[in-house]
Amino acid sequence: MRISEAARVSGVSARSLRYYEEEGLIVSGRSANGYRDYCQSTIERVRLVRALLDAGLPVRLVKEVLPYVTSQDGVCAEFLAQVQSYRDRLAERIAGLAERQAALDAYLAAARPDRVP
């Protein structure tokens, strides 16, 4: 199917399809006139890529773990380990930001001129 049909069927824009191909996340065939040609397995991969990106994984990690994900056998333990590691790093960053926010709140509360001792 051509890119406009693939975009409609997969639920992503034609621009996203081109970007995924540019990043090596999907591969499209080419017709005799040079137009992109998408098969059903590529559409399924597009949906998987979109789901991973929607879950918050960066393109870099999606590209890294995509070979470990199979639609027939479920998800591979290596893939789950990568996702867990990414999630743990996010949790650490969130905790650090929460600490900074609390410190700023404490500073602002102490520095207000209308504060009664």
Side-chain angles (χ1 to χ4, degrees):
M1 70 186 76
R2 292 183 50 186
I3 195 166
S4 58
E5 177 71 6
R8 187 186 64 73
V9 170
S10 66
V12 302
S13 67
R15 184 175 184 196
S16 292
L17 290 172
R18 287 186 203 97
Y19 175 70
Y20 296 167
E21 189 172 352
E22 187 180 296
E23 289 295 319
L25 299 170
I26 64 170
V27 177
S28 68
R30 295 286 177 163
S31 61
N33 59 6
Y35 289 160
R36 287 176 171 88
D37 186 28
Y38 296 90
C39 64
Q40 188 58 41
S41 64
T42 302
I43 299 301
E44 291 170 15
R45 188 167 174 114
V46 166
R47 289 179 179 144
L48 173 61
V49 166
R50 186 73 254 154
L52 295 171
L53 293 173
D54 287 347
L57 296 177
V59 171
R60 173 197 54 78
L61 185 57
V62 171
K63 189 184 308 186
E64 202 175 300
V65 300
L66 207 50
Y68 301 110
V69 180
T70 61
S71 58
Q72 296 167 343
D73 300 329
V75 291
C76 163
E78 177 66 24
F79 169 73
L80 292 177
Q82 291 276 355
V83 172
Q84 183 66 48
S85 174
Y86 181 72
R87 185 233 172 263
D88 292 346
R89 289 192 307 273
L90 279 178
E92 288 174 13
R93 288 174 53 197
I94 290 168
L97 288 172
E99 288 175 13
R100 290 181 198 166
Q101 182 182 23
L104 288 171
D105 289 344
Y107 172 78
L108 289 171
R112 295 227 162 101
D114 59 343
R115 187 178 140 246
V116 178

